[in-house]
Amino acid sequence: MGQKHFLCLTFTLCFIVSLSPLIYSHPPIYNFPIGQLNHNFYARSCPFLLNIVWYRVWSALRDDTRMAASLLRLHFHDCIVNGCDASVLLDDTEDFTGEKNSPANHNSLRGFEVIDSIKEDLERFCPSTVSCADILTLAARDAVVLVGGTDWPVPLGRRDARTASQSAVLEQIPSPVDSLQNNIAKFTSKGLDLKDVVVLSGGHTLGFANCLFIKGRISNFKGTGKPDPTLDSSFLAYLQSLMNNAGLLESDRALMGNPQTAALVESYSINPRSFSHDFAASMYKLGNVGVLTGENGEIRRKCRSVN
């Protein structure tokens, strides 16, 4: 173990930060363009960044294991709408109606307070340095790793958006009840591909789904007044009290109705290691969608509001 230091985050709370690497080792860096992002972006300006994020995410999961899925979903909903710019974290203002209260996000996105706690700690140690976009990207990765999921490298240097758009959410975010073709189009518009659609849909195996998005499949599929006939009968009985047509969300079930996506699902069911590798690669790509760098955007002092 390397040299250790105590960092006091509050008057009563201290934790040990090791100058040796974190308790997990990162996988190789994927060969995708990352522009001005850099894996060592904060090495000098905020050397304890990774440790602080890791500790706060660990603390959140200790109190609520569901938070892992929440942070992963929060990151996805940020990146898929106008890029990974932390716009999803912004509260509504007189100048704009933000993303968090859109129909796709309202009363379903969680984890804002975890990001707030990380930002508060970082503002004590390295004020006005680390972006909320980088914090959210790191927190999502750490959450997955802490519950036993695969790891992926996170290059840093994103900057934060100065605005948010509820209409952009309605236009850009894939819907759990939309057709596969429409959702594929939304992914590809962000530079993601068909494999990313399947792999990132695998993130639904972590966490909970809102009843609003599944009750149609259970009791009134497409207005028929009956359950979705493709839903596994034993799974249907369980819900009323991907491979076997047990995909919970309609968008997941639709993957088995397309020859290309079904082949990928079947392949991943046989080779989980291949899924883990491709999930890491897709998350790496997702985290680099539409990022702001250089002089674009800002470094927010509070993640819920612009400076």
Side-chain angles (χ1 to χ4, degrees):
M1 294 295 290
Q3 181 183 3
K4 292 180 171 65
H5 290 268
F6 282 97
L7 294 184
C8 295
L9 300 183
T10 68
F11 289 111
T12 58
L13 175 63
C14 294
F15 70 97
I16 297 175
V17 174
S18 173
L19 296 185
S20 59
L22 290 176
I23 63 174
Y24 58 91
S25 58
H26 293 301
I29 296 174
Y30 296 99
N31 188 26
F32 298 130
I34 57 176
Q36 297 183 50
L37 302 185
N38 188 307
H39 292 272
N40 298 311
F41 191 84
Y42 300 108
R44 294 187 177 181
S45 60
C46 195
F48 297 120
L49 166 63
L50 299 182
N51 306 77
I52 290 171
V53 174
W54 178 269
Y55 175 79
R56 281 301 180 190
V57 173
W58 173 83
S59 296
L61 297 186
R62 178 190 57 190
D63 297 332
D64 177 9
T65 55
R66 181 187 169 197
M67 189 55 66
S70 298
L71 290 170
L72 177 63
R73 185 168 183 260
L74 187 60
H75 174 54
F76 176 82
H77 279 231
D78 180 43
C79 293
I80 209 69
V81 178
N82 292 335
C84 305
D85 58 5
S87 55
V88 74
L89 304 178
L90 289 171
D91 290 334
D92 294 349
T93 71
E94 294 180 355
D95 299 321
F96 61 81
T97 302
E99 300 170 19
K100 62 171 59 175
N101 289 317
S102 70
N105 296 334
H106 184 60
N107 288 335
S108 65
L109 284 187
R110 302 169 70 244
F112 298 104
E113 69 284 355
V114 178
I115 305 303
D116 289 342
S117 69
I118 296 170
K119 182 61 172 174
E120 289 171 5
D121 291 343
L122 291 171
E123 285 299 302
R124 293 189 184 99
F125 290 101
C126 29
S128 301
T129 300
V130 182
S131 69
C132 300
D134 277 343
I135 292 171
L136 179 53
T137 307
L138 286 169
R141 189 273 308 278
D142 288 356
V144 171
V145 172
L146 279 163
V147 294
T150 190
D151 193 359
W152 64 92
V154 176
L156 302 167
R158 298 165 188 79
R159 288 171 66 85
D160 300 323
R162 292 190 174 99
T163 188
S165 171
Q166 186 172 114
S167 61
V169 177
L170 301 175
E171 296 168 0
Q172 299 176 35
I173 202 161
S175 167
V177 296
D178 210 349
S179 70
L180 179 61
Q181 290 73 21
N182 286 345
N183 281 338
I184 289 174
K186 291 177 179 178
F187 273 81
T188 56
S189 71
K190 306 298 179 182
L192 303 172
D193 57 30
L194 191 67
K195 180 183 287 187
D196 298 318
V197 174
V198 175
V199 169
L200 294 176
S201 294
H204 290 151
T205 60
L206 182 67
F208 292 76
N210 192 313
C211 187
L212 173 66
F213 299 124
I214 64 174
K215 63 181 181 181
R217 292 198 70 199
I218 299 172
S219 59
N220 189 26
F221 184 65
K222 296 188 183 299
T224 62
K226 299 179 180 180
D228 182 351
T230 68
L231 192 61
D232 180 82
S233 59
S234 60
F235 190 41
L236 173 62
Y238 170 74
L239 290 173
Q240 290 173 328
S241 61
L242 277 161
M243 265 300 291
N244 297 316
N245 290 320
L248 180 59
L249 300 176
E250 187 174 340
S251 57
D252 293 343
R253 190 272 309 166
L255 295 175
M256 298 306 296
N258 176 287
Q260 290 179 288
T261 55
L264 285 169
V265 174
E266 292 171 2
S267 174
Y268 289 138
S269 71
I270 297 170
N271 189 350
R273 181 172 294 182
S274 175
F275 171 78
S276 294
H277 177 274
D278 289 351
F279 180 78
S282 292
M283 289 302 301
Y284 184 88
K285 290 172 65 177
L286 175 68
N288 295 293
V289 169
V291 298
L292 301 174
T293 59
E295 298 300 317
N296 296 315
E298 66 180 13
I299 304 298
R300 288 184 217 142
R301 289 185 289 271
K302 294 184 177 181
C303 291
R304 293 175 184 253
S305 59
V306 299
N307 295 337

